[in-house]
Amino acid sequence: MEKETVTRTKSKGILRKIVRRTMVLSTVVYLVYLFSSHLSQKTDSVFTPLTSDSCPSTEPLVPAFNHSLDTILHDPVYKRLSIKRLSDSVKIPTVVQDTNPDPKEDIDFYKHFFELHDYLKETFPRVHEHLKLEKVNEVGLLYTWEGSDESLKPLLFMAHQDVVPVNNETLDQWTFPPFEGQYDSENDFVWGRGSNDCKNLLIAQFEAVEKLLEDGFKPKRTVLFSHGFDEEAGGEWGAFYLAKHIEKKYGKDGIYAIIDEGEGLVEIDQNTYIAAPINAEKGYVDVLVTVNGKGGHSSVPPDHTTIGVAAKLISLLEFYTSPFQMTLDNPLYGTLNCAAEHSTKMDSAFRRTIRAAKKCKFALWRLTKMISEIPMMRDLIRTTTAVDIINGGVKANALPETTSFLVNHRIDLHSTIEDTVQKDIRQILKVAKKFGYGVTRENKEVILEKTTLGYIDISIRKGLEPAPRSPSSGAEWDLLAGTVTDLFQNRVFKEQQSSVYVTTGLFSGNTDTKHYWSLSNNIYRFIGSIIDPKLAETLHSINEHVDMPGHLSAIGFIYEYILNVDHYGN
């Protein structure tokens, strides 16, 4: 027991060193570091795989119709043309901000999006000849590829047209200008804003369909492509309207499955890969806290101004964070369990704890403790708190009558908006009672009577419950997993002996799928690419770029998944 404790302590120290060296956006990508040679000194001398086969391989699902997968993945002429298609799309600056106008009120704001629409029409003529295009809320794109069997639920692919802004003060730090779409042949990268989030997925969908049409494929099942234009701002004008439009036509639960941007594959060991489609998302809530007091001259201040009270509130809210809680139904456990079974490089204590967590409550508690020590993973097992905006005061010699701050919470899978708000209220009540303030909610409900000093109001500005969890077993999941296994194990890696295991995954953000929950139980956030940790670091940052092999395999995944769903799907 003492030896095991020492091992765990050393393991934590190593993990902290790794975290300081890396800023990785994706948990699955982070596992690449976790299982790397940094931990190899702590592995078992002989790797013993799990006896229960708890992360088995999936039988590859071979498409009945396949004319072009090898061309997409391995033909140099196709690759050269694909580079140009992606590169030219990156040159179009379809930038959105945090707040964007309704297209019906300011259509000129979206002028670059119409340049992108013209580009897509010119570049993919077969798509625009054979698929029906509807523009939803002026800028959203909905393409319908009609199938021959109306009784089959449609398959839906998503991507977004918009990209985040570039900070002009960082332009001199970019290897290539952000909107030139430069192809770097030495490294096989396409550079530029949106190249990896997510013009690559958008263009991959068009390329896959264009190739299927060229090959003469005619679907039995209708295939939809829904492309929002403000995903980076929450999808208020894009995905929200697109989802309502689709639901009106096909009804609730009217879609077979939905595929949007998300995780890909990572190599956890030599020639061993995990694919982790995201099948759940945390919720979120923005809480506005406003301290309302009295003004006056700053030469005769009260004991605490509204800014001082707000500071105490912020300190408490940041200090009393939500507890960590790892559960076996958290999709993160699927990733960890799969890695524990198939990686020979994982820290031995960590691996044993993961394996034991299924049967032992103490091991599950211990796993929670270990994950809580890893900054890039810990936020997936708790509700987070971040104070992001603060406003108060107008003049140096005038007491601030009101001070407000915005708290953003990302809600744990087992919590709710109301649970989260109630935790905030408990801390607010402590401060209010100590400093003699009242408390209200939404400026209506009185929680604690207002006083002569003032009151503190708590209001919800925006909220979303945690997403419903999509199945990780059953026909739809098996079809997705079988497609991924065949594409990579038999085609991408056809020159080498490789193993691919498909499991569940989770990340802390949200995609446009939050507007599509009513359309399908089978929502997966996945891109058919091998994820490079260094590329993930550039998302929304300087030097965003994407590797062409990953882009080509993403095209191949869409091509093959459409074929397999059409042939094997119920």
Side-chain angles (χ1 to χ4, degrees):
M1 191 70 175
E2 183 180 352
K3 182 178 179 182
E4 191 171 291
T5 302
V6 172
T7 300
R8 184 169 69 250
T9 302
K10 289 182 178 179
S11 173
K12 290 178 181 177
I14 295 169
L15 290 171
R16 292 191 188 100
K17 289 179 182 178
I18 298 172
V19 169
R20 286 196 294 268
R21 296 173 188 169
T22 58
M23 287 296 291
V24 184
L25 297 177
S26 138
T27 299
V28 176
V29 171
Y30 179 73
L31 293 175
V32 171
Y33 292 104
L34 189 63
F35 310 144
S36 71
S37 58
H38 292 287
L39 292 179
S40 61
Q41 297 176 1
K42 297 294 177 184
T43 57
D44 297 334
S45 57
V46 178
F47 172 66
T48 306
L50 285 171
T51 56
S52 60
D53 196 27
S54 58
C55 181
S57 60
T58 304
E59 187 70 24
L61 201 58
V62 180
F65 178 106
N66 169 25
H67 291 197
S68 296
L69 275 173
D70 282 344
T71 298
I72 292 169
L73 297 172
H74 304 297
D75 182 72
V77 175
Y78 185 86
K79 177 180 178 179
R80 176 171 53 81
L81 295 173
S82 182
I83 290 168
K84 178 171 173 53
R85 289 187 285 261
L86 176 57
S87 172
D88 287 347
S89 74
V90 174
K91 295 176 182 178
I92 305 171
T94 50
V95 174
V96 295
Q97 306 296 330
D98 283 341
T99 302
N100 306 284
D102 182 342
K104 292 182 175 62
E105 297 178 359
D106 185 4
I107 196 66
D108 190 58
F109 179 87
Y110 299 95
K111 61 183 180 181
H112 293 302
F113 288 80
F114 297 112
E115 294 174 17
L116 177 64
H117 299 175
D118 291 341
Y119 170 75
L120 295 172
K121 185 175 182 180
E122 177 185 346
T123 307
F124 304 102
R126 291 183 181 86
V127 171
H128 289 81
E129 178 184 351
H130 294 280
L131 276 65
K132 175 186 175 183
L133 169 61
E134 299 172 84
K135 291 198 174 182
V136 179
N137 199 22
E138 311 297 332
V139 191
L141 303 177
L142 179 63
Y143 289 85
T144 302
W145 194 1
E146 292 286 358
S148 59
D149 188 345
E150 293 183 358
S151 69
L152 297 174
K153 292 182 179 181
L155 171 64
L156 172 61
F157 290 91
M158 297 172 62
H160 58 88
Q161 308 167 54
D162 55 299
V163 303
V164 298
V166 174
N167 183 349
N168 289 333
E169 294 180 3
T170 68
L171 286 174
D172 62 347
Q173 299 177 46
W174 284 72
T175 302
F176 300 102
F179 291 108
E180 285 193 2
Q182 180 68 41
Y183 173 64
D184 171 13
S185 58
E186 181 179 351
N187 296 297
D188 212 6
F189 294 150
V190 171
W191 295 73
R193 173 62 81 232
S195 60
N196 207 2
D197 186 13
C198 74
K199 290 281 179 70
N200 55 327
L201 180 59
L202 180 76
I203 297 302
Q205 292 175 4
F206 280 94
E207 290 184 289
V209 177
E210 189 79 3
K211 200 63 178 172
L212 284 166
L213 288 166
E214 181 183 327
D215 292 344
F217 176 70
K218 297 180 180 180
K220 291 184 299 181
R221 184 188 300 273
T222 294
V223 185
L224 306 174
F225 298 88
S226 182
H227 301 144
F229 56 91
D230 61 342
E231 190 272 348
E232 301 293 1
E236 175 186 7
W237 303 117
F240 175 82
Y241 284 87
L242 283 159
K244 294 298 182 186
H245 184 81
I246 295 168
E247 183 180 315
K248 184 176 181 180
K249 183 171 184 179
Y250 297 101
K252 293 183 184 298
D253 194 29
I255 301 299
Y256 169 83
I258 299 174
I259 305 293
D260 194 13
E261 62 176 328
E263 293 289 10
L265 286 78
V266 313
E267 187 174 18
I268 62 164
D269 214 320
Q270 185 174 4
N271 297 331
T272 303
Y273 296 82
I274 286 179
I278 304 298
N279 68 321
E281 289 183 337
K282 296 176 70 177
Y284 68 79
V285 62
D286 286 336
V287 177
L288 180 66
V289 180
T290 304
V291 183
N292 299 276
K294 293 185 178 296
H297 201 285
S298 61
S299 63
V300 284
D303 290 340
H304 303 281
T305 68
T306 57
I307 291 177
V309 175
K312 182 63 176 178
L313 285 169
I314 292 170
S315 177
L316 275 181
L317 290 172
E318 289 188 335
F319 183 78
Y320 288 101
T321 56
S322 296
F324 297 102
Q325 181 185 14
M326 182 63 190
T327 57
L328 297 180
D329 63 349
N330 187 319
L332 173 63
Y333 186 77
T335 303
L336 295 174
N337 184 53
C338 212
E341 180 171 346
H342 299 293
S343 172
T344 64
K345 296 181 178 181
M346 180 183 278
D347 172 76
S348 59
F350 196 28
R351 176 147 52 86
R352 287 196 302 272
T353 303
I354 293 168
R355 294 167 66 175
K358 291 182 182 179
K359 298 180 180 180
C360 174
K361 289 184 178 180
F362 174 75
L364 185 59
W365 172 86
R366 184 181 174 193
L367 179 60
T368 299
K369 189 75 169 64
M370 296 176 82
I371 293 174
S372 72
E373 296 286 336
I374 308 172
M376 293 305 297
M377 295 176 69
R378 66 185 186 185
D379 289 341
L380 298 179
I381 61 170
R382 67 168 176 174
T383 296
T384 59
T385 298
V387 180
D388 294 326
I389 300 173
I390 185 167
N391 292 289
V394 294
K395 200 172 185 299
N397 62 351
L399 296 173
E401 295 173 340
T402 62
T403 299
S404 64
F405 59 91
L406 189 79
V407 186
N408 176 256
H409 295 288
R410 299 301 171 124
I411 303 172
D412 182 71
L413 299 177
H414 288 279
S415 188
T416 65
I417 291 174
E418 188 59 27
D419 286 345
T420 304
V421 172
Q422 287 299 326
K423 289 176 182 176
D424 285 352
I425 289 175
R426 286 196 287 273
Q427 302 308 321
I428 289 170
L429 281 169
K430 292 179 183 178
V431 173
K433 291 175 181 178
K434 180 176 181 179
F435 295 116
Y437 279 71
V439 178
T440 63
R441 181 166 176 178
E442 309 291 346
N443 280 307
K444 296 177 182 177
E445 177 188 352
V446 176
I447 300 173
L448 185 65
E449 289 295 333
K450 299 178 182 179
T451 72
T452 56
L453 288 176
Y455 67 98
I456 303 167
D457 182 70
I458 181 169
S459 301
I460 295 176
R461 283 294 173 264
K462 189 194 305 185
L464 180 75
E465 300 289 358
R469 262 163 279 193
S470 296
S472 56
S473 62
E476 291 84 359
W477 173 267
D478 291 343
L479 201 155
L480 173 64
T483 300
V484 173
T485 303
D486 178 67
L487 177 71
F488 285 92
Q489 204 163 268
N490 296 340
R491 302 176 193 280
V492 174
F493 305 135
K494 68 177 185 177
E495 301 299 328
Q496 64 189 58
Q497 289 290 104
S498 295
S499 299
V500 175
Y501 300 93
V502 184
T503 185
T504 56
L506 179 69
F507 53 32
S508 56
N510 298 92
T511 69
D512 265 346
T513 55
K514 60 180 174 284
H515 298 290
Y516 290 67
W517 293 353
S518 66
L519 295 176
S520 179
N521 294 323
N522 307 303
I523 302 178
Y524 302 105
R525 302 137 189 103
F526 178 77
I527 185 166
S529 305
I530 299 169
I531 303 297
D532 180 341
K534 293 181 180 179
L535 296 187
E537 291 175 7
T538 68
L539 291 174
H540 290 200
S541 188
I542 298 165
N543 283 332
E544 182 179 348
H545 57 290
V546 69
D547 63 301
M548 276 308 298
H551 179 63
L552 295 174
S553 64
I555 301 169
F557 166 73
I558 298 162
Y559 182 101
E560 182 168 351
Y561 187 60
I562 290 173
L563 294 175
N564 281 345
V565 169
D566 199 73
H567 184 75
Y568 297 105
N570 296 326

